Amino acid sequence: MKHLFLILSLVFVDNSCTQSKINQDAITLEYTTQTRGAYKCIVINKKQVSTVNKHGAKPDIKTCSETDWNQLMKTLKTVDVKNIPNLKAPSEDRFFDGAAIANLKITYNGKVYESQSFDHGNPPKQIAALVKEMLSITKNIE
């Protein structure tokens, strides 16, 4: 009887994990930096990477490689997305033009999780790897 219960438990756990898979087509990541004279916006989804380097400019759109997307999703899994709006910036250089103002926004199935502003180059540690990965992808594409 104990063995049957154990087997059934494993089957239900396996099924619930399979059903709770993330719809990667519904994820968009956006990283924005700005100062008085500079602006950059990176938008990444499963199909493309879009980069705008100044207000009003047309986006430079490239295909997002499967390798880059998989690495981004691997990094995203380490982030508590629901807690992103509560993260505190580790520094405040953006308040006196010592750093560009940065924001991270993650959209999933229409729900938006947006960080408070932080210094470009010094994100909260909970999202630092994700920001670094996003910037790395755009550098590899440009």
Side-chain angles (χ1 to χ4, degrees):
M1 186 66 171
K2 288 181 185 179
H3 297 293
L4 180 62
F5 178 73
L6 180 62
I7 291 171
L8 287 175
S9 296
L10 290 174
V11 168
F12 286 122
V13 168
D14 185 50
N15 284 341
S16 66
C17 289
T18 303
Q19 293 171 357
S20 68
K21 286 191 177 184
I22 294 174
N23 178 5
Q24 292 185 12
D25 292 327
I27 298 173
T28 301
L29 302 143
E30 182 176 332
Y31 181 73
T32 307
T33 64
Q34 59 186 344
T35 63
R36 284 187 244 190
Y39 175 80
K40 185 168 192 159
C41 180
I42 301 164
V43 179
I44 304 174
N45 63 37
K46 190 172 182 177
K47 296 179 182 175
Q48 65 187 22
V49 178
S50 169
T51 307
V52 176
N53 288 313
K54 71 179 195 176
H55 282 291
K58 289 187 176 183
D60 181 23
I61 300 172
K62 307 286 184 184
T63 301
C64 185
S65 75
E66 187 176 340
T67 303
D68 285 342
W69 182 253
N70 289 339
Q71 183 59 41
L72 197 58
M73 290 299 98
K74 182 179 175 182
T75 306
L76 181 60
K77 286 180 183 179
T78 67
V79 175
D80 180 4
V81 175
K82 291 180 181 178
N83 193 43
I84 286 176
N86 304 319
L87 300 178
K88 302 295 181 207
S91 57
E92 298 179 343
D93 293 346
R94 66 198 175 284
F95 293 150
F96 59 85
D97 292 338
I101 300 167
N103 290 79
L104 175 67
K105 184 184 341 181
I106 299 173
T107 305
Y108 179 62
N109 282 336
K111 179 107 172 106
V112 178
Y113 304 93
E114 188 168 3
S115 72
Q116 296 179 31
S117 64
F118 55 89
D119 295 344
H120 174 62
N122 192 20
K125 66 179 179 179
Q126 297 90 334
I127 59 172
L130 182 61
V131 169
K132 181 179 178 182
E133 191 63 38
M134 290 178 72
L135 292 171
S136 174
I137 288 171
T138 59
K139 286 179 184 172
N140 290 337
I141 290 176
E142 291 176 352

